[in-house]
Structures are given as structure tokens and as C-alpha cells.
Amino acid sequence: GCIILGILFYIWKSIFAATVNYDLAAAEGMKPDVSNFIFTLLLAGVIAISIKMIGALLITGLLLIPAATARSLSSNPLQMVILSILVGIISVILGLFSSLELNTAGPSIIVAALVLFILSLISFKRSGALQK
């Protein structure tokens, strides 16, 4: 886990710059092709390991729902990454505990992530309504 975060921290600037403007990142000497390749390898490794633990269908939800939740709560990309990690961890913890209590299987994690996502949408709509 710490090794993956260290590598992501190392390639973060290049990936972010390439997301904004690929040609400018290449002109700055950031090597976005290499960063994209490293990121793809890391993502493939995480997916391969996660498929063994939680299954092929559930990994898709666990990759997408925390990021969507963080998107509605964050104001910048770094904050979104951190919130996405936290939402994923909280979803797994809540899902595992609810699985023990309710005697359900792996989908409990996705249900917990979905509940957090819906709560983030409700809080986002409330804060937007209060600003008007």
C-alpha cells in the first residue's frame, strides 16, 4: 500500500499536468507517457489483487463510487484523491461490519459506498440550496 502511494506521489505532477494539457506536460519534460504507463500498471495490479478478494463485478463499483462521492465533496484534484481514498476505506469498514451483523456477503461494501454517495449528493444539494 505505501509503495503504491509513494509511486503515485512521484508521478502525480506529470499525470495531473497531462490531464490538463498533454502537449504542455510533454514540453515541460514531464514524460506523461511514462507516467501513464506506470499508472496503468499500478491500476492493473490493484484490480488483479482486488478481483481475488471481492470479485470482478464489485471491484468496478469500488473503483467508481468512492471517486464519484469525492467529486461532489471536493474543490480540487488533490482533495478529491484524498477523499476518494477515505471514502473507499470507510466503505470497506462499514461493509464488513454490516456483513457480520446482517450475515450478507461482499455486496455490503458496495451498498455502504452507495449510501455514502447518496449522502454526499444530499449534502451537496443542501449546501447549493443554501447558497441561493
Side-chain angles (χ1 to χ4, degrees), residues 36-116:
N36 285 339
F37 180 72
I38 292 170
F39 183 72
T40 303
L41 286 178
L42 288 174
L43 188 61
V46 167
I47 289 172
I49 292 169
S50 299
I51 285 176
K52 295 228 180 235
M53 288 190 285
I54 63 172
L57 295 175
L58 297 179
I59 188 61
T60 306
L62 202 52
L63 281 172
L64 297 177
I65 296 173
T69 304
R71 174 67 178 104
S72 66
L73 298 173
S74 62
S75 59
N76 62 48
L78 184 58
Q79 189 179 25
M80 184 178 163
V81 169
I82 293 168
L83 282 174
S84 178
I85 292 168
L86 290 175
V87 169
I89 291 170
I90 292 169
S91 298
V92 169
I93 292 170
L94 288 175
L96 288 176
F97 280 119
S98 67
S99 174
L100 284 172
E101 290 297 318
L102 303 173
N103 199 20
T104 58
S108 299
I109 296 171
I110 300 303
V111 170
L114 186 62
V115 167
L116 290 175

